[in-house]
């Protein structure tokens, strides 16, 4: 559709899979948000040195690992089980978040249910410090 519409160059941001670039017969530039995210965290979260970067799913492990490495902090993962689409049945945290600033990072969202569920569960249980 983009080619038919006359596009001769595509600029994307944080493609879900870099292989997507190969589906086009025109140049595709995939930009990365991580440098801006790291800068934003350092400038806007006072306690960022005591933070833990949290992925709401195992698929985000590479992303949160990279951000955690960029900040020289630890990361955690949330393993989630679903009964059906958009409905989280159970969530298990893998990592130590007690008394830490938690920064939840996801690549895309539909209903924000996972992020909200994770924040509510762990903040409500008194396990987390601040959540971003």
């Amino acid at each position: 559709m983009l080619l038919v519409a006359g596009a001769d160059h595509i600029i994307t941001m944080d493609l879900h899979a870099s292989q997507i670039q190969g589906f086009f017969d025109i140049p595709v530039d995939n930009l990365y948000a991580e440098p801006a995210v790291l800068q934003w965290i350092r400038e806007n979260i006072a306690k960022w040195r005591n933070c833990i970067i949290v992925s709401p799913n195992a698929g985000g492990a590479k992303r949160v690992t990279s951000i955690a490495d960029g900040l020289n902090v630890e990361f955690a993962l949330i393993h989630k089980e679903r009964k059906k689409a958009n409905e989280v049945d159970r969530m298990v945290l893998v990592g130590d978040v007690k008394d830490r600033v938690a920064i939840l990072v996801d690549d895309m969202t539909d209903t924000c249910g996972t992020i909200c569920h994770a924040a509510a569960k762990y903040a409500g249980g008194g396990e987390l410090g601040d959540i971003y």
Side-chain angles (χ1 to χ4, degrees):
M1 286 176 39
L2 293 171
L3 295 173
V4 171
D8 60 6
H9 194 124
I10 299 171
I11 300 173
T12 61
M13 180 65 102
D14 287 328
L15 283 172
H16 191 66
S18 60
Q19 296 89 338
I20 293 171
Q21 289 177 274
F23 288 103
F24 295 94
D25 295 328
I26 58 176
V28 177
D29 292 323
N30 183 36
L31 305 178
Y32 297 94
E34 186 175 314
V37 169
L38 294 174
Q39 180 180 346
W40 188 92
I41 290 170
R42 288 183 185 115
E43 292 176 358
N44 293 282
I45 301 177
K47 300 177 186 176
W48 71 266
R49 286 180 179 83
N50 186 38
C51 78
I52 187 161
I53 309 299
V54 182
S55 175
N57 55 52
K62 185 176 179 182
R63 182 177 315 99
V64 297
T65 301
S66 181
I67 292 171
D69 286 349
L71 295 170
N72 196 29
V73 298
E74 295 180 17
F75 70 94
L77 301 172
I78 295 174
H79 172 69
K80 63 184 175 184
E81 298 173 7
R82 296 181 183 272
K83 284 186 176 178
K84 60 183 180 179
N86 295 329
E87 187 177 312
V88 176
D89 180 44
R90 192 173 94 110
M91 300 176 79
V92 178
L93 178 69
V94 180
D96 182 15
V97 298
K98 187 166 179 56
D99 300 323
R100 310 279 294 279
V101 172
I103 301 173
L104 285 81
V105 177
D106 206 348
D107 62 337
M108 61 180 158
T109 184
D110 181 10
T111 63
C112 293
T114 299
I115 291 284
C116 292
H117 191 130
K121 178 174 183 172
Y122 298 108
E127 295 183 39
L128 292 177
D130 296 330
I131 301 173
Y132 292 90

